[in-house]
Amino acid sequence: MKIVYIPVEQSLNSPFTGRYRTYGIAAVDCSVNPHEVLDFIPDVSIDREFVSALADHCTREELEPIHLTQIIEDSI
């Protein structure tokens, strides 16, 4: 199984701040066709560079999707 972590841009709405752009991370199994989303953590950060770097790190380290939430919590 080849898992790739990708940043996902979202447009969300908050009653306190209004509409805002944020980024989540999806764990995608690229060994199947069509690709399968194994996990998705929304609204990780509004910092695109941070989320992209974290997704790249998870891919390089071959993180298991079950650990995605913990890695995100440890990183913010």
Side-chain angles (χ1 to χ4, degrees):
M1 182 179 331
K2 173 61 178 166
I3 300 172
V4 176
Y5 293 84
I6 58 170
V8 178
E9 184 176 331
Q10 302 173 275
S11 181
L12 299 178
N13 193 31
S14 165
F16 304 105
T17 60
R19 192 159 261 335
Y20 66 101
R21 181 176 308 176
T22 186
Y23 300 87
I25 297 179
V28 180
D29 181 354
C30 292
S31 65
V32 296
N33 198 4
H35 299 328
E36 179 182 356
V37 176
L38 302 173
D39 198 3
F40 175 65
I41 308 298
D43 201 11
V44 172
S45 175
I46 60 171
D47 184 344
R48 180 176 52 92
E49 298 297 324
F50 168 75
V51 175
S52 292
L54 184 56
D56 289 344
H57 174 75
C58 291
T59 299
R60 271 193 321 278
E61 296 299 320
E62 299 179 355
L63 180 77
E64 290 293 325
I66 193 168
H67 301 293
L68 182 57
T69 300
Q70 187 64 47
I71 254 329
I72 291 169
E73 288 175 357
D74 290 348
S75 297
I76 52 176

